[in-house]
């Protein structure tokens, strides 16, 4: 047998408690990364808002916020966000109860159709709805319901914005309520039945109260999403002359350029405060009362009896109204030469698609830029979120918690706020490098990384919670260092979660408009804002073609992702049952 | 110290794998989790090639101790030595990947994305062993647990016992100087446990690896271990050979814990007829019991006995008088619950053969066949 002394040298060099190994180094890089893309810009924003000239000057902040225009916009923002959240909660909860507990047929298809609007860029949705009511709408036209020219468009109003935001965000509520309902074991419902509860009583006295945390969580997400939804608020609100906080910020930049930044910062801070307060409130409301249950088992089924057919009919009608109506209008518009033309064999043309793909350099470049930024963001965020999730799950420390909070904050704050923060932070030339990235695609990339880090993190945190830590311990005792463990053990086991996160980030980044709307310049344009610019410039048919192309890309992505669905963690793809 | 402790391959031509042994010393270790003391001044010296079992009630700090030895936790004070070399102290800590320990986890911790052979050969891969050599040594290790025919399987396609064997082979192939096993059999059924127990014992005989084995199961510990450390509330109560623990518990906790021991109050210790015995008064009856050679003559002490040591006496003069409370039928014997007449508050029981029928309310005479005066009586 070997002499152990031979393998253990006698000299005693102290091993410091904290070693500058790859692990510490990685954590250091993570901290610097998150500080640069999240903490510092947001801090800068807050500072600019309350101390525009470097010294605390709340009076000037107040003078910005106290303007009647700002007050009206803030009220409008609150109004549309709250009302649309209410609509989304009602629609989403009904849909969730029906798909989890109802005995309706073709559930999987219906779930897919219900969640689909969430995957479509909001500005495309807005455009499609605007065209659905246009004088030449193919669907409404068929029924003779189309508006006569000259009448004010019904969607260019507060009601229109609320309606679209409500429909757009209903899937968000649907997903959280559905998840909450599925946790409930069937025996709770059976006990209620045994006590004599009918269908409606069961839903209102047992199921929904127990799913309350899910409902409030969904409402919070819907509210945050609504108040920051630039696509719909801008496409409908600007023509309607209905100002909200984010359209005000947008117009501020358009009219004054970066010189209006301190005003924009104050507005952004107000918007952020509203968001954070709403989240806190919903958290508090949703967390009250004990709704803990033993998880597991199949959800209880509710037999709709003779109501089954009417309910199914209603459900399919809803889908056709929310999907077919707008999308067919969008598609029809994309196929005619000029806006307002009837679609027929003589007017049918593919010119718009040819223009969008080949002739319009700015559109082509925007597609290319978006793809480049999206792919880069996905790749970087996959690596970063894997390592960050590792630290969050298994190496908790106050520093790590701070990083996680910063990531969450950058995600929940409206994208436009992040945009303002990015401009403020990156306007000045970078230290050492000596040039500013403002106006280039890199500032958009920074904003994407900041905004979508939490999104990429989510499936990974779920993945880590499902694997036992002893698997890593076993690799450590096998002699594997940090990098080897990441490569050989953790990455292979979490690969599905990484992919799931990548898909979600890819779709979100490709669809987004609110983050980059303030950051785009003539030399750096993404595809999201392109539609708004085209529509503002009067090229509705071209905008429709671009919108259709984006939907096509999204559908293709969803299809590809679905191919891998059974290898991904459960619930990683929101549109899958 | 910065050099890895992992040593070169030690495979002999017979294919037997030898393990570089190491002695382990824990010196005055304390460990707190959030102000809660989990290990309290623990010292333990494990010799080269020794098989040590750690036994103790749930939550007493066994796993924590193992994780400290492996390097997953840091202590608050004290030191850990491998062969007189300090490898861990509050100031400096050799990370687990450099300690050359092997662990068999209670839940096996096999990597689901690797097949059996890849699992077993992973440590060799990390050490840079060539793939041919790695394959040979992985199969060798698998052969020692009779699993060489499963090399290509995924862990998910194995039974619990097979997974446990693979985990053992993985630990073995890594050629560790110390093997740490945390309740390796806890998830197996009774029959499998018995056969795995035999396998561990064979395995240790062949490899002479230094092994620290945590278990809840006393009979497992007794069967396998050279020495057993009994722990309670973060302290080592006694560290001794199995028969010594059973026959000569150092304190009341060990006396009660090992073999369902009973502790009886005794009085008036007098010198016994032979060395290492004393004459004591047990509930009014004088008996000769074992004690330390230097046992002081005290007015009162505690006596450790096991249920089998209490017997029905043939005549009243041979034991202390007691009142039968109730009888429980146990198949091979009956369990007689009784209260000594001198200490009616105490409820005790003994095993009686079927040919000595007693019934509730009877007065019986109980003799103490064997007992040990607990040195550190409370
Ligand atoms: N990471 C931790 N953080 C806080 N407390 C811990 C941690 N790990 C263990 N403890 C506490 O330390 C004590 C000892 O735990 P340990 O796991 O060592 O017990 P054990 O003897 O292995 O128990 P068991 O037989 O149940 O496995 C317990 O009270 C436990 O709650
Ligand atoms: Mg334990």
């Amino acid at each position: 047998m070997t002499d152990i002394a031979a393998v253990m040298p006698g000299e005693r060099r102290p091993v410091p408690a904290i070693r500058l190994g790859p692990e510490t180094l990685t954590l250091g890089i993570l901290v610097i990364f998150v500080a640069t893309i999240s903490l510092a810009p947001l801090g800068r924003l807050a500072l600019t808002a309350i101390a525009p000239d470097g010294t605390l000057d709340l009076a000037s902040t107040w003078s910005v916020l106290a303007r009647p225009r700002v007050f009206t916009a803030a009220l409008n923002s609150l109004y549309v966000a709250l009302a649309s959240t209410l609509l989304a909660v009602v629609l989403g909860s009904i849909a969730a109860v029906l798909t989890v507990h109802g005995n309706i047929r073709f559930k999987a298809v219906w779930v897919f159709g219900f969640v689909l609007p969430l995957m479509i860029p909001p500005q495309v949705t807005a455009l499609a709805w605007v065209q659905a009511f246009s004088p030449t709408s193919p669907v409404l036209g068929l029924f003779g319901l189309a508006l006569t020219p000259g009448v004010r468009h019904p969607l260019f109003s507060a009601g229109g914005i609320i309606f679209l935001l409500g429909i757009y965000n209903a899937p968000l509520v649907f997903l959280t309520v559905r998840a909450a309902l599925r946790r409930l074991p069937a025996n709770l419902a059976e006990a209620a039945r045994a006590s004599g509860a009918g269908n409606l009583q069961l839903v209102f006295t047992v199921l929904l109260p127990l799913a309350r945390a899910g409902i409030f969580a969904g409402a919070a997400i819907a509210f945050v999403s609504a108040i920051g939804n630039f696509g719909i608020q801008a496409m409908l609100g600007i023509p309607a002359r209905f100002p909200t906080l984010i359209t005000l910020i947008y117009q501020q930049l358009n009219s004054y350029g970066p010189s209006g930044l301190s005003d924009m910062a104050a507005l952004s801070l107000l918007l952020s405060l509203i968001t954070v307060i709403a989240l806190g409130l919903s958290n508090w409301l949703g967390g009250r009362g004990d709704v803990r249950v033993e998880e597991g088992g199949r959800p209880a089924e509710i037999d709709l009896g003779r109501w089954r057919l009417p309910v199914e009919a209603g459900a399919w009608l809803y889908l056709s109204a929310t999907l077919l109506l707008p999308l067919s209008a969008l598609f029809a518009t994309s196929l005619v030469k000029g806006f307002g033309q009837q679609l027929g064999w003589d007017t049918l043309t593919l010119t718009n698609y040819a223009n969008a793909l080949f002739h319009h350099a700015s559109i082509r470049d925007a597609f290319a830029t978006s793809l480049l930024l999206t792919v880069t963001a996905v790749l970087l965020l996959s690596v970063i979120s894997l390592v960050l999730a590792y630290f969050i799950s298994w190496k908790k420390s106050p520093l790590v918690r701070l990083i996680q909070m910063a990531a969450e904050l950058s995600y929940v704050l409206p994208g436009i706020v992040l945009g303002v923060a990015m401009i403020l932070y990156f306007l000045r030339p970078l230290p050492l490098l000596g040039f500013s990235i403002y106006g280039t695609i890199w500032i958009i990339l920074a904003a994407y990384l900041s905004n979508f880090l939490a999104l990429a993190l989510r499936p990974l945190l779920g993945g880590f919670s499902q694997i036992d830590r002893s698997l890593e311990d076993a690799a450590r005792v096998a002699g594997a260092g940090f990098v080897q463990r990441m490569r050989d053990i953790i990455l292979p086991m979490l690969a599905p979660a990484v992919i799931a996160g990548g898909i979600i980030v890819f779709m979100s980044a490709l669809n987004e408009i609110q983050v980059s709307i303030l950051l785009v310049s003539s030399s750096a344009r993404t595809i999201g804002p392109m539609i708004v610019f085209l529509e503002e410039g009067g090229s509705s048919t071209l905008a429709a073609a671009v919108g259709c192309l984006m939907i096509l890309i999204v559908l293709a992505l969803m299809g590809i992702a679905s191919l891998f669905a059974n290898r991904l963690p459960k619930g990683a793809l929101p549109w899958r049952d | 110290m910065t050099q890895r402790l992992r040593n070169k391959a030690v495979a002999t031509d017979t294919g037997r794998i030898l393990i570089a042994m190491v002695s382990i010393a824990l010196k005055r270790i304390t460990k707190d989790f959030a102000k809660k003391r989990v290990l309290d001044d623990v010292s333990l010296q494990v010799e080269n090639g020794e098989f040590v079992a750690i036994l103790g009630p749930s939550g007493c700090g066994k796993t924590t101790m193992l994780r400290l030895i492996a390097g997953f936790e840091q202590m608050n004070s004290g030191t850990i030595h491998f062969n007189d070399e300090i490898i861990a102290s509050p100031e400096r800590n050799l990370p687990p990947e450099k300690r050359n320990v092997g662990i068999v986890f209670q839940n096996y911790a096999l990597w689901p994305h690797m097949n059996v052979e890849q699992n077993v050969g992973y440590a060799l891969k990390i050490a840079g062993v060539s793939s041919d050599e790695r394959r040979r040594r992985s199969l060798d290790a698998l052969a020692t647990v009779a699993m060489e025919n499963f090399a290509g399987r995924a862990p998910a396609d194995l039974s619990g016992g097979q997974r446990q064997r693979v985990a053992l082979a993985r630990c073995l192939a890594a050629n560790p100087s110390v093997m740490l096993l945390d309740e390796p059999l806890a998830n197996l059924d009774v029959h499998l446990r018995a056969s795995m127990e035999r396998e561990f014992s064979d395995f240790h005989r062949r490899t002479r690896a230094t092994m620290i084995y945590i278990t809840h199961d006393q009979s497992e510990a007794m069967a396998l271990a050279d020495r057993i450390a009994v722990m309670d509330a973060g302290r080592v109560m006694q560290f001794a050979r199995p028969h010594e623990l059973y026959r000569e518990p150092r304190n009341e906790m060990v006396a009660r814990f090992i073999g369902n021991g009973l502790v009886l109050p005794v009085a008036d210790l007098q010198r016994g007829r032979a060395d290492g015995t004393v004459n004591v008064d047990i509930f009014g009856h004088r008996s000769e019991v074992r004690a330390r050679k230097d046992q002081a003559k005290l007015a009162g002490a505690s006596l450790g006995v096991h249920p089998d040591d209490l017997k029905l006496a043939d005549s009243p003069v041979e034991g202390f008088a007691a009142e039968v409370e109730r009888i429980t039928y146990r198949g091979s014997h009956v369990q007689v619950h009784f209260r000594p007449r001198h200490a009616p508050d105490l409820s005790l029981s003994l095993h009686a053969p079927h040919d000595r029928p007693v019934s509730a309310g009877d007065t019986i005479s109980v003799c103490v066949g064997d007992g040990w005066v607990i040195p550190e009586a409370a």
Side-chain angles (χ1 to χ4, degrees):
Chain A
M1 282 185 199
T2 355
D3 181 4
I4 195 76
V7 291
M8 290 183 64
E11 84 208 85
R12 300 189 172 196
R13 235 178 295 144
V15 183
I18 297 174
R19 300 167 325 125
L20 197 65
E23 193 173 325
T24 325
L25 211 64
T26 311
L27 185 61
I29 295 173
L30 277 179
V31 171
I32 294 172
F33 172 78
V34 173
T36 315
I37 60 153
S38 288
L39 280 179
L42 291 175
R44 185 65 210 269
L45 173 84
L47 211 63
T48 311
I50 57 170
D53 304 314
T55 49
L56 191 66
D57 187 2
L58 289 176
S60 102
T61 313
W62 180 245
S63 74
V64 175
L65 298 183
R67 284 180 209 148
R69 229 156 52 93
V70 174
F71 187 70
T72 314
L75 275 188
N76 285 347
S77 277
L78 265 181
Y79 169 51
V80 292
L82 283 175
S84 70
T85 298
L86 195 65
L87 181 61
V89 166
V90 171
L91 290 175
S93 301
I94 293 176
V97 170
L98 284 180
T99 55
V100 174
H101 296 292
N103 59 340
I104 58 173
R105 286 162 285 194
F106 305 112
K107 264 187 206 172
V109 187
W110 199 84
V111 167
F112 180 84
F114 192 81
V115 178
L116 191 60
L118 197 58
M119 307 291 147
I120 297 174
Q123 65 280 19
V124 176
T125 307
L127 184 66
W129 275 99
V130 168
Q131 294 175 355
F133 282 98
S134 82
T136 49
S137 162
V139 176
L140 290 186
L142 260 182
F143 300 106
L145 287 173
L147 301 171
T148 44
V151 173
R152 186 181 150 90
H153 198 295
L155 287 181
F156 289 158
S157 63
I161 297 175
I162 290 168
F163 173 68
L164 277 206
L165 285 175
I167 288 180
Y168 192 80
N169 291 327
L172 290 172
V173 181
F174 170 76
L175 289 172
T176 54
V177 176
R178 193 172 147 81
L181 286 175
R182 286 183 145 190
R183 282 175 50 242
L184 303 180
N187 56 21
L188 288 177
E190 284 155 7
R193 282 240 186 279
S195 320
N199 283 346
L200 285 182
Q201 281 167 318
L202 175 64
V203 168
F204 284 105
T205 59
V206 176
L207 298 179
L208 287 182
L210 284 175
R212 195 179 65 187
I215 296 175
F216 277 103
I221 303 174
F223 180 88
V224 169
S225 162
I227 204 166
N229 191 319
F230 180 78
I232 290 173
Q233 291 188 34
M235 296 279 281
L236 304 182
I238 293 175
R241 301 192 186 288
F242 180 80
T244 57
L245 279 176
I246 54 176
T247 55
L248 205 60
I249 295 173
Y250 171 64
Q251 288 169 327
Q252 190 92 9
L253 185 75
N254 278 356
S255 343
Y256 303 107
S259 65
L261 272 175
S262 63
D263 287 8
M264 289 164 67
L267 294 179
S268 299
L269 194 66
L270 179 62
L271 192 54
S272 308
L273 282 180
I274 296 177
T275 308
V276 170
I277 290 173
L279 282 177
L281 202 64
S282 102
N283 220 346
W284 179 67
L285 287 172
R288 283 185 322 160
D290 190 355
V291 290
R292 280 172 303 174
V293 292
E294 299 203 0
E295 304 197 11
R298 291 166 42 77
E301 189 169 281
I302 294 177
D303 187 0
L304 295 171
R306 63 199 163 84
W307 286 101
R308 180 166 165 183
L309 213 58
V311 166
E312 284 178 337
W316 289 103
L317 202 66
Y318 176 84
L319 275 201
S320 351
T322 54
L323 277 179
L324 283 187
L325 179 65
L327 293 187
S328 65
L330 186 73
F331 191 52
T333 306
S334 76
L335 291 175
V336 296
K337 257 223 182 66
F339 188 60
Q341 273 182 347
Q342 282 287 355
L343 180 63
W345 285 114
D346 44 337
T347 50
L348 182 74
T349 173
L350 288 176
T351 326
N352 295 315
Y353 287 93
N355 278 340
L357 288 173
F358 308 112
H359 305 310
H360 239 280
S362 62
I363 298 178
R364 209 181 47 212
D365 290 349
F367 264 119
T369 307
S370 268
L371 276 181
L372 173 73
L373 287 176
T374 304
V375 170
T376 315
V378 166
L379 292 180
L380 287 175
L381 285 180
S382 297
V383 178
I384 293 165
S385 58
L386 177 72
V387 184
L388 184 53
Y390 170 83
F391 281 104
I392 292 174
S393 308
W394 289 347
K395 297 277 156 89
K396 289 193 185 74
S397 72
L399 193 61
V400 172
R401 215 159 295 142
L402 182 74
I403 301 181
Q404 188 185 8
M405 269 174 50
E408 288 291 338
L409 193 65
S410 311
Y411 174 66
V412 298
L413 290 185
I416 209 149
V417 170
L418 202 61
V420 176
M422 287 291 161
I423 298 178
L424 282 168
Y425 186 66
F426 285 111
L427 195 57
R428 286 177 306 172
L430 295 177
L432 299 181
L433 297 175
F435 58 86
S436 164
I437 61 169
Y438 178 59
T440 70
I441 59 171
W442 305 116
I443 193 171
I444 305 177
L445 181 65
Y448 281 3
L449 293 177
S450 177
N451 194 203
F452 300 127
L453 177 57
L455 209 53
L457 208 53
R458 217 150 282 175
L460 279 165
L461 291 177
F464 269 104
S465 71
Q466 279 168 12
I467 59 176
D468 197 294
R469 201 172 162 187
S470 62
L471 290 169
E472 197 215 3
D473 290 346
R476 287 196 88 169
V477 297
F482 177 70
V483 177
Q484 286 163 323
R485 294 198 302 273
M486 277 287 157
R487 185 194 63 203
D488 297 342
I489 308 295
I490 294 181
L491 177 62
M493 283 196 295
L494 288 171
V498 173
I499 294 173
I503 292 167
I504 303 293
V505 170
F506 195 105
M507 299 231 263
S508 311
L510 200 66
N511 285 350
E512 70 78 33
I513 175 170
Q514 64 276 15
V515 179
S516 58
I517 186 76
L518 296 184
L519 303 177
V520 292
S521 66
S522 53
S523 59
R525 243 180 222 169
T526 53
I527 195 65
M530 203 67 209
I531 290 182
V532 176
F533 299 151
L534 289 173
E535 179 77 5
E536 276 179 349
S539 318
S540 289
T541 52
L542 197 55
V546 173
C548 286
L549 286 174
M550 289 181 76
I551 293 173
L552 217 63
I553 296 177
V554 167
L555 286 177
L557 270 176
M558 289 171 77
I560 294 171
S562 299
L563 289 182
F564 298 102
N566 44 13
R567 299 192 48 200
L568 298 180
K570 219 168 136 40
L573 302 180
W575 63 87
R576 295 274 306 194
D577 218 6
Chain B
M1 272 310 273
T2 45
Q3 187 191 325
R4 304 260 305 262
L5 298 185
R6 197 166 300 282
N7 57 335
K8 286 270 171 283
V10 199
T12 61
D13 0 48
T14 55
R16 220 170 61 139
I17 294 175
L18 299 178
I19 288 194
M21 297 185 305
V22 69
S23 69
I24 304 167
L26 308 188
K27 297 194 176 157
R28 313 212 55 176
I29 291 191
T30 56
K31 167 76 186 163
D32 297 346
F33 277 122
K35 302 222 175 93
K36 182 173 177 281
R37 183 135 298 187
V38 174
L39 290 181
D40 188 4
D41 196 13
V42 167
S43 296
L44 207 65
Q45 168 80 36
V46 178
E47 302 302 336
N48 265 351
E50 199 177 13
F51 192 137
V52 167
I54 314 273
L55 204 56
S58 190
C60 69
K62 305 183 292 291
T63 300
T64 306
M65 181 154 112
L66 205 74
R67 290 177 64 81
L68 272 167
I69 297 174
F72 293 123
E73 307 282 355
Q74 298 216 1
M75 66 274 265
N76 294 71
S77 68
T79 50
I80 300 180
H81 306 242
F82 279 9
N83 287 350
D84 303 331
E85 194 80 34
I86 296 187
I87 58 149
S89 67
E91 298 82 39
R92 39 183 235 173
N93 215 340
L94 199 63
E97 53 267 38
K98 306 241 166 110
R99 288 193 185 187
N100 197 20
V101 295
I103 302 192
V104 178
F105 294 88
Q106 181 178 341
N107 62 356
Y108 322 131
L110 296 178
W111 300 301
H113 60 292
M114 300 185 191
N115 68 21
V116 166
E117 189 187 328
Q118 287 165 334
N119 261 286
V120 173
Y122 183 68
L124 300 174
K125 187 173 157 199
I126 291 293
V129 175
S130 73
S131 69
D132 287 347
E133 171 76 0
R134 200 158 74 215
R135 181 172 173 77
R136 194 177 63 73
R137 283 166 63 184
S138 304
L139 289 179
D140 273 354
L142 282 171
T144 58
V145 292
M147 286 292 291
E148 66 272 37
N149 296 331
F150 296 81
R153 289 259 193 114
D157 300 334
L158 299 176
S159 71
Q162 290 170 332
R163 282 181 213 181
Q164 188 56 275
R165 284 171 206 214
V166 174
L168 195 59
R170 176 174 71 180
C171 181
L172 179 58
N175 196 20
S177 353
V178 184
M179 288 181 67
L180 306 172
L181 304 101
D182 193 352
E183 307 198 32
L185 303 184
N187 286 348
L188 304 183
D189 68 41
V190 184
H191 300 290
L192 210 50
R193 283 175 89 122
S195 80
M196 285 302 291
E197 222 173 77
R198 203 161 50 238
E199 225 150 278
F200 276 125
S201 148
D202 278 358
F203 174 75
H204 180 247
R205 216 184 46 240
R206 280 197 312 262
T207 61
R208 303 311 307 175
T210 306
M211 289 169 88
I212 299 185
Y213 186 107
I214 291 184
T215 176
H216 261 116
D217 184 333
Q218 294 185 17
S219 72
E220 203 171 284
M222 297 271 179
L224 291 170
D226 297 322
R227 283 195 291 168
I228 299 174
V230 178
M231 289 182 65
D232 188 35
R235 292 168 159 273
V236 174
M237 295 281 118
Q238 189 168 4
F239 184 36
R241 303 196 168 277
H243 68 91
E244 199 179 328
L245 275 186
Y246 189 85
R247 285 174 53 84
E248 299 176 2
R250 186 191 291 158
N251 56 35
E252 286 196 17
M253 182 267 155
V254 179
R256 287 183 209 277
F257 186 71
I258 300 290
N260 295 321
L262 304 170
V263 175
L264 309 180
V266 293
D268 189 21
L269 274 66
Q270 298 295 335
R271 184 205 288 266
R273 271 178 303 223
D275 246 10
T277 64
V278 287
N279 192 288
V280 296
D281 177 298
I282 310 174
F283 303 129
H285 178 81
R286 291 205 76 88
S287 299
E288 190 98 329
V289 293
R290 289 177 296 107
R292 273 196 185 172
K293 286 205 177 69
D294 56 358
Q295 179 64 50
K297 290 178 191 146
L298 300 170
S302 293
L303 186 74
V305 297
H306 292 98
D308 283 345
D309 297 331
L310 296 179
K311 299 211 167 55
L312 283 180
D314 293 326
S315 69
V317 290
E318 285 172 50
F320 60 84
E323 206 76 46
V324 175
E325 206 175 9
R326 64 198 158 84
I327 309 278
T328 314
Y329 181 68
R330 297 281 182 202
S332 61
H333 59 268
V334 288
Q335 188 174 5
V336 180
H337 302 266
F338 62 89
R339 291 178 184 277
R341 185 159 292 164
H342 275 73
D345 299 339
L346 210 58
S347 180
L348 302 170
S349 76
L350 59 75
H351 299 167
H354 293 294
D355 57 4
R356 296 283 299 271
V358 285
S359 48
D362 285 0
T363 299
I364 52 172
S365 169
V366 179
C367 68
V368 178
D370 185 39
W372 163 257
V373 178
I374 296 166
E376 288 174 16

